[in-house]
Amino acid sequence: MLNTSPVPSSASPAALAGHAEGVSNDEFRAAMSRLAAGVVLVTAQEPPLDPDDPMAPRGEDVGMTATAFVSVSLDPPLALVSLREGSRMDDLLAEQPLWAVSVLAESQRHIAGRFAMRGRVSDRLLFEDIPYVRGEVTGAPLVGGALATLELRTEQRVSAGDHTLVIGRVLTARLPSADGGPLLYFRGSYRHLG
């Protein structure tokens, strides 16, 4: 049934600007900030500069903090991450099908903040003092002390507004740390349970 109810009189013209449906960016952002989300570090390794030369330098590790990461399917095991269109990670995963996710623990807020910074030129220094191992399948960094780590291979990319939804098949899933609770993002801040 088509909803033909009038726009509430409390909605100002400024609040309605930009969206035919009547929801402003600020209103949408405020509403979604009330949804607590787990925090993950998405990582991938750039391909070598010259894949035909075994002596060519290895590509740089890239990382990005994300809160829009969800399971999609159990059979086959699929998960999805939402990436800002045109971001470094979006561009990298358009050419590199292998990537990884570390589910961050409440004690890893500093890692989330570090990889959420905008405008950084290189991720090399960001990884420098963080303990990690390389994924056996992807070669991507898996953060030490994470509650869970997953390695994935991209199955599908879907354009969705100003983001790209990257759906990956889970190739490995490990539980390296049973200590601590999850790091959460709620109302614009990192939080923890309790």
Coordinates of all heavy atoms in Angstrom, one line a residue, residues 20 29 45 48-49 51 57 60 70-71 75 82 108 115 127 143 155 157 161 163 171 186-187 192-193:
A20 N 14.6 13.4 -1.7 CA 13.2 13.5 -2.0 C 12.3 12.8 -1.0 O 11.1 13.2 -0.8 CB 13.0 12.9 -3.4
R29 N 22.0 10.1 9.8 CA 23.2 9.8 10.6 C 22.9 9.7 12.1 O 23.4 8.7 12.8 CB 24.3 10.8 10.4 CG 25.6 10.6 11.0 CD 26.7 11.6 10.7 NE 27.0 11.6 9.3 CZ 26.8 12.6 8.4 NH1 26.2 13.7 8.8 NH2 27.2 12.5 7.2
Q45 N 46.6 -6.6 1.3 CA 47.9 -6.3 0.8 C 47.9 -5.9 -0.6 O 47.3 -6.7 -1.5 CB 48.8 -7.6 1.0 CG 50.3 -7.3 0.8 CD 51.1 -8.5 1.0 OE1 51.0 -9.5 0.3 NE2 51.9 -8.4 2.1
P48 N 52.1 -6.8 -5.7 CA 53.5 -6.3 -6.0 C 53.5 -5.4 -7.2 O 52.6 -5.5 -8.1 CB 54.3 -7.6 -6.4 CG 53.4 -8.7 -6.0 CD 52.0 -8.3 -5.8
L49 N 54.4 -4.4 -7.2 CA 54.5 -3.4 -8.2 C 54.7 -4.1 -9.6 O 54.1 -3.6 -10.6 CB 55.6 -2.4 -7.9 CG 55.4 -1.6 -6.7 CD1 56.6 -0.7 -6.4 CD2 54.1 -0.8 -6.7
P51 N 54.3 -7.9 -10.8 CA 54.0 -9.3 -10.4 C 54.9 -10.4 -11.1 O 55.0 -11.5 -10.7 CB 52.5 -9.5 -10.7 CG 52.1 -8.3 -11.4 CD 53.1 -7.3 -11.3
P57 N 59.5 -5.2 -5.1 CA 59.0 -5.0 -3.7 C 57.6 -5.4 -3.6 O 56.8 -5.3 -4.5 CB 59.2 -3.5 -3.5 CG 59.5 -2.9 -4.8 CD 59.9 -4.0 -5.7
E60 N 52.3 -2.6 -0.3 CA 52.0 -2.2 1.0 C 50.8 -2.8 1.7 O 49.8 -3.1 1.0 CB 51.9 -0.6 1.0 CG 51.9 0.0 2.4 CD 51.9 1.5 2.3 OE1 53.0 2.1 2.1 OE2 50.8 2.1 2.3
V70 N 29.0 -7.5 8.3 CA 27.9 -8.5 8.7 C 28.1 -9.8 8.0 O 28.6 -9.9 6.9 CB 26.5 -7.9 8.5 CG1 26.2 -6.7 9.3 CG2 26.3 -7.7 7.0
S71 N 27.6 -10.8 8.7 CA 27.5 -12.1 8.0 C 26.3 -12.1 7.1 O 25.3 -11.4 7.3 CB 27.3 -13.3 9.1 OG 26.1 -13.1 9.7
D75 N 25.9 -21.0 4.3 CA 26.2 -22.0 3.3 C 25.9 -21.5 1.9 O 24.8 -21.5 1.5 CB 25.4 -23.3 3.5 CG 25.8 -24.4 2.6 OD1 26.9 -24.4 2.0 OD2 25.0 -25.4 2.5
S82 N 30.9 -2.8 4.0 CA 30.5 -1.6 3.2 C 31.7 -0.6 3.2 O 32.1 -0.2 4.3 CB 29.3 -1.0 3.9 OG 28.9 0.2 3.2
Q108 N 41.3 -2.7 22.2 CA 42.0 -2.3 20.9 C 41.4 -1.0 20.3 O 41.5 -0.8 19.1 CB 42.0 -3.5 19.9 CG 42.8 -4.7 20.4 CD 42.7 -5.9 19.5 OE1 41.6 -6.2 19.1 NE2 43.8 -6.5 19.3
F115 N 43.3 3.6 12.5 CA 43.0 3.3 11.1 C 41.7 3.9 10.6 O 41.3 3.7 9.4 CB 42.9 1.7 10.9 CG 44.2 1.1 10.9 CD1 44.8 0.6 12.0 CD2 44.9 1.0 9.7 CE1 46.1 0.0 12.0 CE2 46.2 0.4 9.6 CZ 46.7 -0.1 10.8
F127 N 50.9 0.2 11.0 CA 51.1 -1.2 11.3 C 52.3 -1.4 12.2 O 52.5 -2.5 12.7 CB 51.1 -2.1 10.1 CG 49.8 -2.4 9.4 CD1 49.5 -1.7 8.2 CD2 49.0 -3.3 9.9 CE1 48.3 -2.0 7.6 CE2 47.7 -3.6 9.3 CZ 47.4 -2.9 8.2
V143 N 45.3 -9.0 13.2 CA 45.7 -8.3 14.4 C 45.8 -9.3 15.6 O 44.8 -10.0 15.8 CB 44.8 -7.2 14.7 CG1 45.1 -6.5 16.1 CG2 44.8 -6.1 13.6
E155 N 33.5 -12.2 -3.7 CA 32.6 -12.9 -4.6 C 31.8 -11.9 -5.5 O 31.4 -12.2 -6.6 CB 31.6 -13.8 -3.8 CG 32.3 -14.9 -3.0 CD 32.3 -16.2 -3.8 OE1 31.3 -16.6 -4.3 OE2 33.4 -16.8 -3.9
R157 N 30.7 -7.4 -5.9 CA 30.8 -6.0 -5.5 C 29.5 -5.4 -6.0 O 29.1 -5.6 -7.1 CB 32.0 -5.3 -6.1 CG 33.3 -5.8 -5.6 CD 34.5 -5.2 -6.3 NE 34.5 -3.8 -6.4 CZ 35.0 -3.0 -5.5 NH1 35.5 -3.4 -4.4 NH2 34.9 -1.6 -5.7
G161 N 24.5 3.5 -3.5 CA 24.6 4.9 -3.1 C 26.1 5.4 -3.2 O 26.8 5.2 -4.2
H163 N 28.5 4.1 -1.4 CA 29.3 3.0 -0.9 C 29.3 1.8 -1.9 O 28.5 1.7 -2.7 CB 28.8 2.6 0.5 CG 29.3 3.4 1.6 ND1 29.0 4.7 1.7 CD2 30.1 3.1 2.6 CE1 29.6 5.2 2.8 NE2 30.2 4.2 3.4
L171 N 37.2 -17.8 3.9 CA 38.2 -18.9 3.6 C 38.8 -19.5 4.9 O 39.1 -20.7 4.9 CB 39.3 -18.4 2.7 CG 38.8 -17.7 1.4 CD1 40.0 -17.1 0.7 CD2 38.1 -18.7 0.5
F186 N 29.0 3.4 19.2 CA 27.6 3.8 19.5 C 27.6 5.3 19.7 O 28.4 5.8 20.5 CB 27.1 3.0 20.7 CG 25.7 3.4 21.2 CD1 24.6 3.0 20.4 CD2 25.5 4.1 22.3 CE1 23.3 3.3 20.8 CE2 24.2 4.4 22.7 CZ 23.1 4.0 22.0
R187 N 26.6 6.0 19.1 CA 26.5 7.4 19.2 C 27.8 8.2 19.0 O 28.1 9.1 19.7 CB 25.9 7.8 20.6 CG 24.5 7.2 20.7 CD 23.8 7.6 22.0 NE 23.3 9.0 21.8 CZ 22.5 9.6 22.7 NH1 22.1 9.0 23.8 NH2 22.0 10.8 22.4
H192 N 32.5 -0.1 25.1 CA 32.6 -1.5 25.4 C 31.5 -1.9 26.3 O 30.8 -1.1 26.9 CB 34.0 -1.8 26.1 CG 34.3 -1.0 27.4 ND1 33.8 -1.5 28.6 CD2 34.9 0.1 27.6 CE1 34.2 -0.6 29.5 NE2 34.9 0.4 28.9
L193 N 31.2 -3.2 26.4 CA 30.1 -3.7 27.2 C 30.5 -3.5 28.7 O 31.6 -3.7 29.1 CB 29.9 -5.2 26.9 CG 29.3 -5.5 25.5 CD1 29.2 -7.0 25.3 CD2 28.0 -4.9 25.3

